[in-house]
Amino acid sequence: MGSHGEMGPFFTSGPLWGNPFLRWRGEPNTLELRAGKSGPELLLQPTGPAENWFWRQGIGEEHSISGYFGHRRDPANAGLGFPGGWSARSWETVTSSLADFLGPLPAETVALGMSVGMPVYGRTDDGAPLLFDIACGERLSIACFAEDDAAAAALGWGTVADHPVTAERWDDDDPVRRVDAGGPGEPKGRALAEMLVATAKAVGVREPAGLIVGGEGTYVGDYRVTYYGLGLATG
């Protein structure tokens, strides 16, 4: 489930709003369901060459691999290889990777028929408390658990009164600060990413390595998901 890296040398890149797909992996051949220019497409291709291309990606440089990829514990996935990853080395990289991830996320989750719940922790001098909760199904909502001294309101966070649809995910007053970014095609990825990074800095997260995707966020239904494109640590 999902996609990672570029499709070439076999295929061109997918649409700008995202590259969701479902893959049925067999030993000789793989069947993929993708979003084509005129609608859904089914592609049949040899398993070996395609997986060799994907596996060789992720060389450690920033943005060397993008997207996310999930797999199920199924006998057909025995021997499935996974590419390496990379780590963000600057706040600008974190901002761009979060923007690329958040902007198309509702379109991808709707297309895949799934929902994502991703806690993000922030390492400060006082530990690594929960900082954000990214929730996305038909709509993208983000909660902020930062202390009031982070001036969350000034950074763009609202309350349940401002974003009433978020009450479907969180109680009215816990967390106090949250934002509803909308459904497919609506989230402003760059603005959301800038707000998250500014908030992380305000609470004392000193470097990109201090932003940590909670390990519980890597379980999406029956799938174990790796978020390659974020460049953030997972713990």
Side-chain angles (χ1 to χ4, degrees):
M1 175 186 74
S3 65
H4 60 74
E6 295 295 326
M7 298 294 105
F10 308 106
F11 302 100
T12 58
S13 297
L16 294 177
W17 52 264
N19 292 296
F21 66 73
L22 293 174
R23 171 184 290 175
W24 293 268
R25 178 181 184 267
E27 182 176 350
N29 297 304
T30 289
L31 180 68
E32 286 188 359
L33 173 64
R34 294 186 183 174
K37 292 183 179 180
S38 58
E41 295 178 348
L42 282 172
L43 291 85
L44 184 66
Q45 57 183 323
T47 296
E51 289 198 356
N52 181 58
W53 166 253
F54 284 122
W55 182 81
R56 285 161 44 203
Q57 298 184 82
I59 56 176
E61 296 298 323
E62 289 189 328
H63 299 299
S64 60
I65 188 170
S66 61
Y68 53 87
F69 185 78
H71 69 284
R72 296 193 300 174
R73 291 183 177 179
D74 187 281
N77 288 329
L80 179 62
F82 300 95
W86 57 278
S87 297
R89 300 167 191 166
S90 71
W91 285 117
E92 175 53 36
T93 298
V94 174
T95 302
S96 62
S97 65
L98 278 171
D100 291 343
F101 175 71
L102 295 172
L105 189 57
E108 294 178 330
T109 52
V110 168
L112 291 169
M114 69 175 193
S115 60
V116 169
M118 178 190 293
V120 179
Y121 298 85
R123 183 183 295 116
T124 67
D125 292 339
D126 298 323
L130 177 63
L131 190 53
F132 308 117
D133 185 15
I134 299 172
C136 189
E138 294 183 357
R139 301 181 68 85
L140 170 62
S141 300
I142 308 175
C144 175
F145 293 86
E147 298 296 332
D148 289 341
D149 58 8
L155 293 173
W157 297 96
T159 64
V160 69
D162 303 309
H163 306 286
V165 71
T166 61
E168 298 176 6
R169 171 74 181 188
W170 304 288
D171 293 336
D172 287 356
D173 57 357
D174 184 24
V176 174
R177 299 296 177 183
R178 73 273 302 276
V179 64
D180 169 46
E186 295 179 342
K188 309 300 182 187
R190 181 74 188 189
L192 292 169
E194 290 176 348
M195 182 172 66
L196 266 62
V197 169
T199 304
K201 291 180 177 179
V203 301
V205 180
R206 297 182 179 180
E207 57 183 0
L211 276 184
I212 304 167
V213 175
E216 59 270 44
T218 64
Y219 291 92
V220 179
D222 295 331
Y223 295 86
R224 179 69 185 273
V225 179
T226 300
Y227 297 97
Y228 287 107
L230 287 178
L232 299 178
T234 300

